[in-house]
Amino acid sequence: TVGPLFDMCFWAGSKTVIDAVRFNAGKMIQTFLLGLLVMYVWSIMGIWWLSDFHSEDNCNNMLQCFFSYFYFAMRGEGLADVMQDPIFAQNIIDFTVAEGTMLLRTIWDMTFQFLFLYVLIAIITGIVIDAFGGLRDKKDEAEENIKARCFVCNLDRFRLDQNGIGFDRHVHIEHNPRYYFFFLLHVKQRPRAKLTGQEAYVLSKVWPADGSGSSYAWFPRMQTHTMDDTEEAEDNVVERRVEALEHRVAHGFARLEELLLTQTQGGGFPSYKPAE
């Protein structure tokens, strides 16, 4: 049977190829349709200008000529099987200006060869190669993010190494994603009557009874129990200093307005007492 052979589609390498084609199928189809349109125009020009050079077996009407162009061009042989064998002139005059000139056929044939056998195929190949590059960049970015940030709390490696128990210990002991996965399985399978208050709360957030969307606000985002409070304390000190500075600046502007108002009314400048 053929069915088991499709397991190869789930291999890591096979999935990469399939994804590269699947994600860019629209671009490749649009490029291919554009090529068919240009090929159709090319076949019209060929019948109009070079009808005497076409083989009668392959180009009797427009439909037959178009499919002949498409079939032989995609096989990589160009228009050799659609056109009659060329007879090259013996001098430059017969080659360029004589009736049924070979110059026009040569330019038309080689241009078709260049556009459809080189450019069109190269564009489709480039789209696939760019898709491979994009998938590789996304994979590298995801792996770098996993190595640099905790999947659960989103704290970066530097902060956990400086103020916590260390990034590696944190992601393996404190915020191991497997623990959360097993916890969700436990909450989902355990009878609701036997759930604790915290478990019932998580169950109501992840699988709400009203059918609304799941909420993961219960995750410890940007926090952990083993994180040192030194950084938070420093932030609080800076915040208090900024607030004190803002208060002094506001008080100074108020005093300046009083001075300007007194000067305008001609009452002289009052004595100034610095703010305590």
Side-chain angles (χ1 to χ4, degrees):
T1 59
V2 182
L5 297 178
F6 284 95
D7 289 340
M8 292 186 296
C9 297
F10 298 97
W11 296 350
S14 300
K15 289 181 65 176
T16 303
V17 176
I18 294 174
D19 291 341
V21 176
R22 179 167 59 90
F23 293 153
N24 293 272
K27 294 181 181 180
M28 290 189 291
I29 292 175
Q30 293 174 8
T31 305
F32 182 71
L33 293 177
L34 178 62
L36 290 181
L37 175 61
V38 178
M39 189 179 299
Y40 179 74
V41 175
W42 221 258
S43 62
I44 294 176
M45 295 168 55
I47 295 177
W48 185 17
W49 291 338
L50 302 170
S51 58
D52 296 338
F53 289 96
H54 286 77
S55 175
E56 296 180 357
D57 297 333
N58 296 322
C59 203
N60 288 323
N61 53 56
M62 190 66 235
L63 181 65
Q64 186 184 36
C65 192
F66 171 72
F67 280 107
S68 298
Y69 275 47
F70 173 75
Y71 176 76
F72 293 115
M74 292 298 102
R75 288 176 56 188
E77 300 178 3
L79 300 179
D81 294 334
V82 182
M83 311 288 288
Q84 298 176 358
D85 294 335
I87 300 176
F88 296 98
Q90 298 181 0
N91 55 74
I92 190 65
I93 296 177
D94 293 337
F95 185 78
T96 54
V97 299
E99 183 178 358
T101 173
M102 278 296 301
L103 178 61
L104 178 60
R105 174 180 173 175
T106 301
I107 296 175
W108 178 80
D109 196 354
M110 297 304 297
T111 307
F112 183 91
Q113 186 94 0
F114 175 77
L115 288 178
F116 295 100
L117 298 187
Y118 302 146
V119 176
L120 180 62
I121 302 300
I123 290 175
I124 296 177
T125 305
I127 292 175
V128 176
I129 294 175
D130 289 341
F132 279 112
L135 291 174
R136 184 180 62 252
D137 293 340
K138 290 182 179 179
K139 181 180 178 181
D140 294 342
E141 182 180 357
E143 292 179 351
E144 183 65 25
N145 191 31
I146 290 295
K147 295 178 181 178
R149 288 187 174 273
C150 174
F151 178 78
V152 176
C153 66
N154 201 39
L155 288 171
D156 59 86
R157 175 184 289 270
F158 178 79
R159 293 182 63 183
L160 290 171
D161 287 338
Q162 294 295 322
N163 303 314
I165 61 175
F167 180 80
D168 294 333
R169 292 187 62 194
H170 173 79
V171 298
H172 285 90
I173 299 176
E174 189 174 14
H175 282 169
N176 193 324
R178 295 183 180 89
Y179 297 164
Y180 283 82
F181 175 71
F182 295 145
F183 173 71
L184 291 177
L185 290 179
H186 165 75
V187 170
K188 182 65 175 177
Q189 297 176 0
R190 189 175 177 84
R192 184 179 293 270
K194 296 182 179 181
L195 294 176
T196 64
Q198 292 84 353
E199 293 173 347
Y201 172 77
V202 172
L203 180 65
S204 65
K205 289 295 184 179
V206 181
W207 295 282
D210 56 0
S212 59
S214 300
S215 174
Y216 295 93
W218 54 275
F219 266 72
R221 304 302 292 174
M222 302 302 296
Q223 57 183 336
T224 176
H225 290 296
T226 58
M227 176 69 75
D228 190 4
D229 296 334
T230 303
E231 184 176 359
E232 184 178 357
E234 292 177 356
D235 293 340
N236 294 333
V237 171
V238 173
E239 185 177 355
R240 288 195 299 269
R241 290 180 177 177
V242 171
E243 291 178 355
L245 180 61
E246 291 178 351
H247 176 72
R248 297 188 64 178
V249 170
H251 185 270
F253 274 111
R255 292 291 301 168
L256 180 61
E257 291 179 357
E258 292 178 3
L259 291 173
L260 292 176
L261 181 61
T262 304
Q263 184 182 15
T264 303
Q265 295 176 353
F269 289 99
S271 60
Y272 174 75
K273 295 182 180 180
E276 297 180 357

